[in-house]
Amino acid sequence: AQKVTQAQTEISVVEKEDVTLDCVYETRDTTYYLFWYKQPPSGELVFLIRRNSFDEQNEISGRYSWNFQKSTSSFNFTITASQVVDSAVYFCALSEASRGTDKLIFGTGTRLQVFP
Amino acid sequence: EAQVTQNPRYLITVTGKKLTVTCSQNMNHEYMSWYRQDPGLGLRQIYYSMNVEVTDKGDVPEGYKVSRKEKRNFPLILESPSPNQTSLYFCASSYRTSGYNEQFFGPGTRLTVL
């Protein structure tokens, strides 16, 4: 069965600390896509990244980096030198190609609080 | 500007009073869907539509209806709202139905049913 697990409900850090948000997924599909979304206090969902199952290269975008490991079914997200503006709820999500739809299966989210 | 709009953004209503949350996208997207977000549960899909006049149930469809008469609009209808439908609702759209496409989300509608 398809599932996304974000075991960390809430994380608190002090500004400039590095923080990693964990995401573990389950799927029987060989072709699937993984996403991260950010939900700031204002409530909207902001797309951060998409990864397909055939591309295990890690990705870096500024202070953000993502580590995709198929061997452990994980797609972790690291924020380097965190800032107060990074405070938000972060969702990891999975989409399976076999469904023929763009349905997203979301994790329960991790609330990140960055204190000055 | 490419966007998904939802109205209203906030709504407080009473049990049993029918309501409609509208969703509209200006990107000519084929796929549209509704999600609800609840604490500790993440977002769960309510209904989706692959194209005009084609809709299907998601994971939590009970108590909801949808329609897709035009490509750009996908309203969510609560015929007889109940307190357990108090939630944050998101409409989303995307170009195709392959699982690959980034979904564009609306700003959300916060619904409270008393």
Side-chain angles (χ1 to χ4, degrees):
Chain A
Q2 66 282 354
K3 187 178 180 182
V4 175
T5 301
Q6 295 179 256
Q8 304 152 307
T9 303
E10 189 161 337
I11 301 175
S12 295
V13 298
V14 177
E15 233 180 353
K16 299 184 183 175
E17 282 186 39
D18 298 348
V19 59
T20 295
L21 309 182
D22 297 333
C23 173
V24 174
Y25 61 92
E26 294 176 32
T27 179
R28 292 181 180 172
D29 273 30
T30 54
T31 303
Y32 53 89
Y33 307 93
L34 296 164
F35 301 77
W36 276 94
Y37 283 86
K38 174 182 180 180
Q39 186 177 47
S42 50
E44 75 272 21
L45 287 165
V46 179
F47 168 79
L48 295 178
I49 190 172
R50 172 188 53 229
R51 248 315 174 240
N52 74 55
S53 53
F54 298 108
D55 182 3
E56 283 194 76
Q57 278 195 344
N58 292 332
E59 179 148 344
I60 298 175
S61 177
R63 296 184 297 107
Y64 294 172
S65 62
W66 290 269
N67 182 285
F68 175 30
Q69 291 197 332
K70 287 178 75 171
S71 60
T72 56
S73 297
S74 65
F75 187 43
N76 296 338
F77 173 31
T78 297
I79 302 175
T80 302
S82 58
Q83 300 176 0
V84 172
V85 293
D86 295 326
S87 297
V89 180
Y90 291 86
F91 290 100
C92 180
L94 164 72
S95 180
E96 298 170 312
S98 66
R99 290 181 177 272
T101 76
D102 284 337
K103 175 183 177 179
L104 289 170
I105 300 154
F106 284 86
T108 52
T110 297
R111 180 178 300 277
L112 173 64
Q113 293 195 71
V114 181
F115 294 99
Chain B
E1 178 190 355
Q3 60 182 349
V4 178
T5 57
Q6 293 178 228
N7 282 292
R9 295 289 313 279
Y10 303 91
L11 179 61
I12 300 175
T13 189
V14 296
T15 298
K17 186 176 181 182
K18 181 180 178 180
L19 66 93
T20 299
V21 184
T22 64
C23 172
S24 184
Q25 49 92 6
N26 62 1
M27 296 167 279
N28 201 36
H29 284 169
E30 294 166 348
Y31 184 82
M32 296 184 75
S33 60
W34 278 100
Y35 292 83
R36 61 178 287 175
Q37 180 182 349
D38 301 292
L41 297 176
L43 284 83
R44 295 174 292 166
Q45 192 183 57
I46 304 170
Y47 267 95
Y48 67 94
S49 170
M50 308 260 284
N51 214 322
V52 175
E53 302 292 1
V54 181
T55 63
D56 208 346
K57 297 177 181 178
D59 295 322
V60 287
E62 295 76 22
Y64 304 95
K65 286 175 56 177
V66 293
S67 68
R68 186 92 181 272
K69 293 184 170 55
E70 305 165 284
K71 198 170 187 178
R72 64 183 293 128
N73 297 323
F74 190 46
L76 179 69
I77 303 156
L78 285 72
E79 295 268 2
S80 183
S82 62
N84 64 13
Q85 293 178 297
T86 293
S87 187
L88 177 58
Y89 292 86
F90 288 98
C91 180
S93 71
S94 59
Y95 276 109
R96 284 187 296 272
T97 56
S98 65
Y100 170 79
N101 299 288
E102 172 195 346
Q103 290 202 43
F104 291 78
F105 283 86
T109 294
R110 190 168 293 280
L111 172 66
T112 301
V113 183
L114 301 175

